[in-house]
């Protein structure tokens, strides 16, 4: 018997915590951005022939890598970067 749409969606959501290339899972990100930002993401995605999701992931990962490259693993800044409380607004 075929699954209903609700059953397929429930199954999809159940796989998300273990999805991804490394099996480390995926997390949902729900946010509003400015129209300017959305249009820029759209342009970048179109230019590189990837999804908007892929562009956001690339940009965030690149910035994170740049910051980590400047930190000494034994310095207090390393611990602060990885343990600091998040800012929510």
């Amino acid at each position: 018997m075929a699954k209903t749409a609700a059953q397929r969606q429930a199954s999809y959501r159940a796989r998300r915590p273990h999805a991804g290339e490394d099996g480390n899972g995926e997390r949902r990100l729900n946010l509003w951005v400015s129209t300017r930002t959305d249009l820029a993401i759209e342009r970048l995605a179109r230019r590189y022939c990837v999804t908007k999701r892929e562009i956001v992931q690339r940009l965030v990962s690149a910035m994170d890598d740049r910051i980590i490259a400047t930190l000494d693993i034994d310095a207090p800044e390393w611990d602060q970067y990885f343990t600091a409380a998040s800012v929510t607004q």
Side-chain angles (χ1 to χ4, degrees), residues 4-72:
T4 66
Q7 289 170 323
R8 284 192 306 276
Q9 183 65 27
S11 178
Y12 173 80
R13 288 184 179 176
R15 290 190 308 268
R16 294 299 86 199
H18 308 290
E21 295 173 11
D22 58 4
N24 196 26
E26 295 179 338
R27 297 184 185 193
R28 184 177 178 91
L29 181 63
N30 187 13
L31 60 111
W32 288 90
V33 296
S34 69
T35 299
R36 178 178 183 235
T37 299
D38 182 61
L39 293 172
I41 292 169
E42 183 69 39
R43 288 190 301 271
L44 289 165
R46 193 171 49 248
R47 178 177 179 88
Y48 293 105
C49 299
V50 297
T51 63
K52 290 167 70 172
R53 171 186 169 162
E54 179 65 23
I55 284 296
V56 171
Q57 288 180 165
R58 287 182 185 186
L59 291 170
V60 171
S61 293
M63 183 57 72
D64 187 52
D65 290 346
R66 283 178 55 187
I67 292 169
I68 291 171
T70 68
L71 301 174
D72 179 9

